[in-house]
Amino acid sequence: MITATPQEQETVGGKVMSVVLIGPDDQRRSSVALALAGVHSGYTRELPGYPELDDIPQLLQHNHDVIIVDLDSDPEYALDLIETVCSNSATTVMVFSGKTDSDLLVRCMRAGAREFLTQPIASGTMAEALVRASVRRPQPRTATTKKAVGKLMVFAGAKGGAGTTTLACNFAVCAARESGQNTLLIDLDLPLGDAALGLGVESEYSTINALENSARLDSNFLSKLLTKHSSGLSVLGAPGKFTKFEITEEAIDKLLAIARQDFENVIIDAGTKLDLTGSVLLEKATKIYLVSQVSIPALRNANRLITQLIKAENPKLEVVMNRATGRYLDIDEEHITKALTVAPKWKVPNDYPTARKNQNSATPLSLEDSPVARAIQEMARAATGVTASTEKKKRFSLFPTKKS
């Protein structure tokens, strides 16, 4: 049984931090305690053995700020201990080990650990870890600290190959660059999405890591999964290899809620996966960009999505006609509007050679000056509230006037 000491009871709730150090090995535990003593003035309690998992709820009742766990004495049990603590509290868990093992580090992160300390631990390393733990401590909510949620912009394709990912990536880059606002792109086209590949960024972690760890997902955890693009855009990409996974709508909802707390613009590449009707993805969206092309299959699918799922009268819906060209059209604008039940809002011109070149070089189209880039920039400016340049731009017409 775990009981609190009078000193511990006085410390909990105060301004100093309360730390529990757990380790069966006396020598390793003492070395960590020594590193703590040099930088920590709060209360530190040592447990000379792993507590039973059934005793963890009693330990958590004392609202410790930090729990530091010895990983080497019994790694598998230590991981179970970490996961139990993290699943039931907001306590920061740190682990210490004499080994540098990347696979074990990933497992610790998945279990919920925030810091991986390699022995011998320098006092500066310990101090920095404690500062980060102090920042993570839950703060009381007040009216003055409440922050407005960010905009949620969803890109969905009426058909595979419509160019949804290309538009989502370039739109996101434009939004980040032109608005100067914190912007995040999330790839929900799982498991084979390639938004990160299109932007030329690589990450050890993916959207699946966030969704599989939704029980302990928070702002700090999410930040560790993100990759930064040179434009300033943050990216949470799909996994680099095929991964089996199970996604719950609750996990998606939590990811979106946390992302919108930290970013002013959250852009979703949903691919053609608009079957998440139980999720708040469409309900909470600020804008829903339905990407289609001028072809019978694409227009038919778009009609189905608009009439059965999104609804034509939805003010959030904006249809984007991608790869639009007037030279090969047998369908005029009147018939397209009739087929969709709503007029297209945006028309992005066709420039396949340039698009292919930029895809192969992982260089966003929107960073260049072209009709395609200008169309996407206009979309991003409208969505983020940025005033367009006063320079008059050449307009592209999807349906050129026929000569008599």
Side-chain angles (χ1 to χ4, degrees):
M1 299 290 289
I2 300 173
T3 57
T5 65
Q7 180 182 9
E8 182 180 2
Q9 291 171 347
E10 292 174 1
T11 304
V12 172
K15 293 183 179 180
V16 294
M17 293 183 67
S18 170
V19 178
V20 177
L21 176 57
I22 301 174
D25 186 281
D26 293 340
Q27 185 175 358
R28 287 199 298 268
R29 190 181 70 253
S30 295
S31 69
V32 177
L34 185 62
L36 267 171
V39 296
H40 177 53
S41 60
Y43 175 73
T44 300
R45 178 184 180 188
E46 293 187 41
L47 297 181
Y50 296 124
E52 296 292 332
L53 297 183
D54 290 342
D55 289 337
I56 296 302
Q58 296 179 24
L59 178 64
L60 297 179
Q61 287 178 359
H62 307 311
N63 297 321
H64 297 293
D65 297 299
V66 177
I67 295 179
I68 307 178
V69 181
D70 173 14
L71 194 60
D72 294 344
S73 294
D74 189 341
E76 294 304 321
Y77 186 84
L79 286 166
D80 288 341
L81 176 64
I82 293 164
E83 186 167 8
T84 301
V85 171
C86 294
S87 296
N88 294 279
S89 74
T91 301
T92 293
V93 175
M94 305 181 187
V95 298
F96 63 92
S97 172
K99 309 168 187 176
T100 303
D101 186 327
S102 59
D103 291 337
L104 197 56
L105 187 152
V106 171
R107 292 183 67 193
C108 287
M109 187 201 76
R110 289 175 175 169
R114 300 291 191 176
E115 306 283 347
F116 191 99
L117 307 172
T118 304
Q119 292 182 294
I121 304 171
S123 58
T125 300
M126 180 63 77
E128 291 172 359
L130 290 175
V131 168
R132 288 190 289 269
S134 177
V135 172
R136 294 188 196 105
R137 285 194 292 185
Q139 301 295 326
R141 292 183 176 272
T142 64
T144 57
T145 59
K146 186 176 181 180
K147 187 168 64 174
V149 296
K151 296 176 180 177
L152 178 62
M153 291 161 271
V154 179
F155 279 77
K159 191 177 184 298
T164 306
T165 295
T166 298
L167 287 181
C169 290
N170 283 277
F171 177 96
V173 168
C174 279
R177 283 172 58 91
E178 302 229 355
S179 70
Q181 299 167 350
N182 290 331
T183 302
L184 170 64
L185 173 65
I186 300 177
D187 195 339
L188 280 180
D189 188 14
L190 303 173
L192 299 176
D194 54 8
L197 179 66
L199 290 171
V201 298
E202 296 182 4
S203 175
E204 184 177 356
Y205 308 114
S206 72
T207 309
I208 291 179
N209 293 118
L211 297 175
E212 287 184 333
N213 293 278
S214 62
R216 45 188 169 271
L217 185 64
D218 60 14
S219 296
N220 186 270
F221 187 92
L222 177 61
S223 68
K224 295 180 183 298
L225 306 179
L226 305 181
T227 305
K228 205 78 166 181
H229 184 257
S230 58
S231 63
L233 172 70
S234 295
V235 180
L236 182 60
K241 57 184 179 180
F242 189 86
T243 304
K244 292 184 178 180
F245 65 98
E246 291 184 8
I247 293 180
T248 65
E249 289 155 354
E250 291 77 12
I252 292 177
D253 294 347
K254 186 172 183 181
L255 171 60
L256 297 179
I258 292 172
R260 296 181 73 191
Q261 289 173 4
D262 298 337
F263 291 88
E264 293 164 276
N265 302 306
V266 178
I267 292 108
I268 304 295
D269 177 8
T272 56
K273 302 182 184 302
L274 269 185
D275 54 351
L276 299 169
T277 52
S279 168
V280 299
L281 181 63
L282 299 184
E283 176 188 346
K284 299 292 185 181
T286 308
K287 294 288 184 185
I288 303 169
Y289 296 102
L290 180 59
V291 182
S292 182
Q293 295 185 34
V294 185
S295 69
I296 297 299
L299 292 175
R300 182 189 63 173
N301 284 4
N303 175 276
R304 291 172 175 176
L305 293 171
I306 293 171
T307 57
Q308 299 175 31
L309 183 59
I310 305 175
K311 307 303 180 185
E313 65 274 11
N314 190 332
K316 305 172 184 177
L317 173 64
E318 296 187 0
V319 175
V320 184
M321 299 307 297
N322 191 31
R323 297 176 188 156
T325 175
R327 291 184 301 166
Y328 306 109
L329 291 183
D330 295 323
I331 310 171
D332 59 25
E333 185 167 10
E334 180 182 352
H335 285 88
I336 288 176
T337 300
K338 185 176 180 180
L340 294 173
T341 72
V342 61
K345 173 74 173 181
W346 304 101
K347 300 164 187 175
V348 180
N350 183 37
D351 190 352
Y352 185 76
T354 301
R356 188 61 178 268
K357 176 184 175 183
N358 281 265
Q359 285 176 348
N360 291 337
S361 63
T363 304
L365 279 165
S366 52
L367 296 181
E368 301 180 355
D369 183 20
S370 68
V372 175
R374 290 195 290 270
I376 298 173
Q377 288 165 3
E378 189 175 356
M379 288 175 60
R381 287 169 178 160
T384 58
V386 175
T387 303
S389 171
T390 55
E391 178 186 358
K392 187 175 181 180
K393 295 181 172 62
K394 183 179 179 180
R395 298 289 179 177
F396 171 82
S397 175
L398 173 60
F399 307 102
T401 305
K402 296 181 178 179
K403 295 182 179 180
S404 55

